[in-house]
Amino acid sequence: MSAKWLKTVSATLALTLGTTMVSAETLRAVTDPSFVPFEMMDQDSGKMVGFDMDILAEVAKRAGFDYKLNTMDFNGIIPALQTGNVDIALAGITITKEREQIVDFSDPYYDSGLRLLIKKGDDSIKTVDDLEGKKVGTKIGSTSYDYLTKNIDDDDGVTPYPGSADMYMALMSGSVDAVFYDAPNVGYFARTKGKDRVTTVGPLYEGQQYGIALKSGSKWLGKVNDALASMKEDGTYKDIYEKWFGPMPEDQ
């Protein structure tokens, strides 16, 4: 076997590998930077971290695409996918029939719901029924905002905020009497920055499931679903879940 032949084969392999690496498609990914612990800015590294960010990185690796991540307010994510300015999004996005009309969703990857958050010691609010005539903070474009406007007769006090930090600050300062939002997010705040000052109350409303959103007709939908399925099968999903939320319920 000649050295010249070996050099030719090596060069061909290098070219093939290089072409394969270059040809990996880069998707335009987007998230909402304020939905902790799903996505949040790490102050030390300046990078987005969180449950969704770990899921996205693993899905991309298994599905075979690269991505460039940007952030935007939650209420702009679905329109950005709809217009094709964004290819893929993870931001604790609840799968709804209305959203399914305009974007593609992966198989569900997280079970959630809506929950009330109030100041500790406030005995006047125990359920959504107690919100009539109260000031309630929620998030613009969220399913929690839709739920409130549909289920509270006197919804003049419902105030939508652009970010979750804004509505939590409003609760702590007394500008609103309660916050109504996604259960994992309000629960995380109650255990961390709001510890000993706020608490969750009442049942879980509207059992929901989060999905990875892609622009309608995306060729990556099947590969994303395959990646999620393989992550759950080999235990990688469980490892990521427990990193951010603690022990995973047996039924998930």
Side-chain angles (χ1 to χ4, degrees), residues 61-94:
K61 182 171 69 175
R62 298 187 185 215
F65 63 82
D66 295 326
Y67 61 91
K68 181 178 180 181
L69 182 68
N70 286 304
T71 62
M72 66 171 59
D73 287 341
F74 184 82
N75 61 311
I77 290 177
I78 297 298
L81 286 164
Q82 186 180 8
T83 57
N85 292 324
V86 170
D87 299 305
I88 188 169
L90 280 83
I93 305 173
T94 301

Side-chain angles (χ1 to χ4, degrees), residues 18 50 138:
T138 187

